Amino acid sequence: MTAVATSCKVLVNFQGDQVDVNVSDNGVGLPTNFTPGLGSVILESICGENWSLTSSPSGGCTLTATVSLEH
C-alpha cells in the first residue's frame, strides 16, 4: 500500500535546546492494521515519548516530534 500523497509539508521550529518537527501529508492516512516498525523504534530512542504519528479524519498523516539538542 502506498500513501498516494501529492504534497508534504515540513515545519521545523527551534526553541532553546530543542527542535520541534512537524511533517504532514495529504495521503490516505495510516492503515487500520498499522504496525510500528524500525522508524518508530528510532524515534522512540531519540525522542522518548515526545513524538506521535496520527491520521487525519480528512486523510493524510502527521508526524510530530520534539528532539533535545542537549548533549
Side-chain angles (χ1 to χ4, degrees):
M1 179 176 177
T2 61
V4 194
T6 59
S7 70
C8 177
K9 180 169 61 170
V10 179
L11 301 172
V12 179
N13 186 27
F14 292 89
Q15 293 186 6
D17 63 350
Q18 70 182 30
V19 179
D20 297 322
V21 179
N22 182 300
V23 181
S24 59
D25 68 31
N26 66 344
V28 297
L30 295 172
T32 54
N33 61 345
F34 173 73
T35 302
L38 180 58
S40 298
V41 172
I42 292 169
L43 282 168
E44 186 73 29
S45 71
I46 295 170
C47 303
E49 294 183 5
N50 296 319
W51 75 277
S52 66
L53 178 62
T54 58
S55 284
S56 169
S58 60
C61 287
T62 300
L63 169 70
T64 58
T66 300
V67 180
S68 175
L69 299 176
E70 290 184 343
H71 298 288

